[in-house]
Amino acid sequence: AQIERHGPSFARALASNRVGARDPCTTVLNNLDIGVNYVAKLKAAIESEVATAALADDAKEKAVMCTAALAETGESYKQVLNDALENIASAVHPRLKPLTEALAQVPYELTEAQYAQAEAIDPFARGFVGGLGVVLTPFQSLLSPNNFDDFVGRVLGYVALRLENEIRQKRFNQLGALQFDKDLRTIM
């Protein structure tokens, strides 16, 4: 309920690095992550015990209903968590847009002199990687490892689509393709 009530404003605050490590919404997200795992473990443990226990049929049926309810609870936790992480990733998109738009300014139809200069200066890739690190690093200390990985996956999915759109508008020659390959390897 707290995430739903504060979701969009929390996502914007987290995306702009105005949320501290002790923020209640960050705690809720991390607890949801842990809760999803514990609910699955509890369900498996109960099912294992029921399978080996000598119970009456009606007692086994009640236990199966309880485990089904646990599974539903785990799925609802997972859905709330996914929605919240998607909101946070979406809130970060405006900070990522300038990083991907910088590719539009990088030529990939190069002469030998331009290629040598691009090799020495590296106008795009290092700045992109550094900027992406500035955006992502604060989240690492706020989110659990699973939540951070999920968040990074969502962010990188968005970045990949934006870069792909920019690349489709580019023209390349042989030296430009070599520079692009170098830039791509640096980004990865």
Side-chain angles (χ1 to χ4, degrees), residues 140-188:
Q140 194 167 14
S141 64
L142 297 174
L143 298 173
S144 69
N146 287 339
N147 285 347
F148 181 71
D149 289 346
D150 190 342
F151 168 73
V152 168
R154 292 166 194 268
V155 167
L156 292 180
Y158 170 77
V159 166
L161 287 174
R162 298 267 315 158
L163 289 175
E164 182 180 355
N165 289 336
E166 292 291 338
I167 291 166
R168 287 178 188 235
Q169 299 172 19
K170 292 278 185 203
R171 294 181 56 108
F172 297 84
N173 66 9
Q174 196 170 20
L175 292 173
L178 287 172
Q179 181 61 40
F180 176 69
D181 181 64
K182 181 183 173 211
D183 288 347
L184 196 57
R185 289 175 190 272
T186 300
I187 289 171
M188 299 214 163

Side-chain angles (χ1 to χ4, degrees), residues 48-65:
S48 174
E49 287 293 322
V50 168
T52 59
L55 297 173
D57 287 342
D58 61 332
K60 283 187 179 185
E61 188 175 308
K62 285 181 185 178
V64 168
M65 288 188 335

Side-chain angles (χ1 to χ4, degrees), residues 55-129:
L55 297 173
D57 287 342
D58 61 332
K60 283 187 179 185
E61 188 175 308
K62 285 181 185 178
V64 168
M65 288 188 335
C66 287
T67 59
L70 276 174
E72 289 175 19
T73 300
E75 287 303 314
S76 66
Y77 284 0
K78 196 180 298 184
Q79 185 60 47
V80 169
L81 181 60
N82 284 335
D83 291 346
L85 290 172
E86 186 61 40
N87 284 339
I88 295 167
S90 294
V92 173
H93 289 177
R95 294 180 59 201
L96 299 168
K97 196 172 180 183
L99 297 174
T100 59
E101 287 175 345
L103 183 61
Q105 307 306 314
V106 178
Y108 287 110
E109 289 183 293
L110 304 173
T111 65
E112 287 195 32
Q114 289 171 322
Y115 178 73
Q117 183 182 18
E119 218 175 11
I121 297 173
D122 197 6
F124 171 69
R126 287 192 183 123
F128 177 83
V129 170

